[in-house]
Amino acid sequence: MTHEARRGLTMRPLIYAANWKMNHGPAAAASFAKRFLDLTAPAPERSLWFFPPAVSLAVVSQAMRSRPDVLVGAQNVHWEAKGAFTGEVSIPMVHEAGAGVVLVGHSERRHLFGETDEQVARKAAAVLRAGLKPLVCLGETLAERESGRTEHVILRQLEPLLEKVPAEEWARLVIAYEPVWAIGTGKNATPDDAAQVHELIRFTVGRRGVPGRVSILYGGSVNAGNVIALLARPELDGVLVGGASLDPDGWAELVGLGAGS
Ligand code: 13P
């Protein structure tokens, strides 16, 4: 089946998600937005998601308000709505600042800040309850891949999510497969490697009664040189990009690649 035929069948546009991590405070985010808006126009076959740091959320969502193809999101939230949790931000707060989606369980949250599979699932369920969309990240480390434990790790990360998120709510949840060894290393997973894990995730959630086809993005060293080959695989619904999303000109070029390829 051609790429266009698949798009037509699923009616699902490709998602190009930019995770800025701890880059672009309010002033830099505003100038990024201005330049990016000058360079791009809405396109029916793609959806553009931006994850600025929390302090830049409001600036970016204001700047992008005229663009129906853009969704702005938070990089992390607490599962409680308010209270004595110094340094945390809540789902109602990021929603008020313009977030429609929340990144949950990014590998840097898991590995640098000790978030557990259980906490990740709790956050995803809270985001859904609040009416926002969680983009839940999964992925194995290099040691886990090399010791043949990729499948085991993916299933372990999925399990609490399957327990906490009711099957009918998975239609609003998006997964990002981000192998830890590919993040920021310049070494992306091959389209075959990524497709294989995407299929494993779909098979696993389908077997547990989740209806329909769950959307799954790939992330890890995606750039303008590899995005077309990755998105040519029908198992991928889009990409989640760190380094290559930081420059507005480069990001505008990248989001013009892959759709309809
Ligand atoms: P890089 O694109 O810099 O490898 O980062 C990927 C990532 O972590 C996106 O969430």
Side-chain angles (χ1 to χ4, degrees):
M1 191 190 305
T2 66
H3 211 56
E4 287 86 345
R6 180 175 74 88
R7 293 282 145 232
L9 270 182
T10 61
M11 300 294 282
R12 180 183 283 116
L14 289 172
I15 297 167
Y16 293 79
N19 176 11
W20 289 350
K21 307 190 180 184
M22 203 168 71
N23 297 286
H24 294 338
S31 66
F32 180 110
K34 186 173 181 314
R35 176 74 182 151
F36 183 80
L37 291 174
D38 286 346
L39 294 171
T40 60
E45 73 278 12
R46 70 170 187 219
S47 186
L48 304 172
W49 294 8
F50 288 92
F51 295 92
V55 292
S56 303
L57 252 181
V59 165
V60 178
S61 51
Q62 269 298 104
M64 304 278 187
R65 68 189 179 283
S66 64
R67 288 285 295 259
D69 57 325
V70 170
L71 193 58
V72 177
Q75 295 177 11
N76 181 37
V77 288
H78 195 278
W79 53 79
E80 294 290 345
K82 61 178 180 171
F85 301 100
T86 301
E88 295 291 313
V89 291
S90 73
I91 301 164
M93 288 172 189
V94 299
H95 184 43
E96 187 182 339
V101 56
V102 178
L103 206 55
V104 180
H106 189 276
S107 80
E108 287 145 21
R109 300 295 324 160
R110 294 176 186 263
H111 295 284
L112 301 175
F113 301 103
E115 271 185 28
T116 64
D117 297 334
E118 176 70 20
Q119 289 171 332
V120 170
R122 202 164 167 184
K123 289 182 181 192
V127 169
L128 282 166
R129 271 197 308 277
L132 280 71
K133 228 178 208 325
L135 172 52
V136 182
C137 305
L138 312 174
E140 80 288 0
T141 64
L142 185 60
E144 288 162 345
R145 173 159 283 258
E146 286 180 341
S147 60
R149 289 166 58 226
T150 300
E151 179 169 343
H152 168 84
V153 172
I154 298 293
L155 298 187
R156 191 205 72 213
Q157 292 174 336
L158 278 172
E159 188 54 38
L161 212 52
L162 284 160
E163 279 166 21
K164 287 200 164 54
V165 175
E168 63 280 8
E169 293 202 24
W170 278 70
R172 287 197 293 121
L173 182 151
V174 178
I175 298 277
Y177 168 54
E178 294 206 305
V180 180
W181 49 271
I183 295 177
T185 59
K187 187 177 183 297
N188 63 288
T190 64
D192 281 350
D193 286 341
Q196 206 175 17
V197 177
H198 286 216
E199 281 307 279
L200 167 69
I201 295 168
R202 288 203 179 92
F203 175 76
T204 305
V205 304
R207 205 178 42 185
R208 296 284 291 271
V210 170
R213 181 181 182 281
V214 62
S215 286
I216 309 177
L217 314 186
Y218 165 77
S221 293
V222 175
N223 58 42
N226 58 29
V227 69
I228 294 176
L230 285 161
L231 290 177
R233 295 297 304 242
E235 294 86 353
L236 276 65
D237 297 305
V239 285
L240 175 57
V241 184
S245 75
L246 291 176
D247 166 63
D249 291 61
W251 185 235
E253 183 201 346
L254 195 152
V255 304
L257 303 171
S261 57

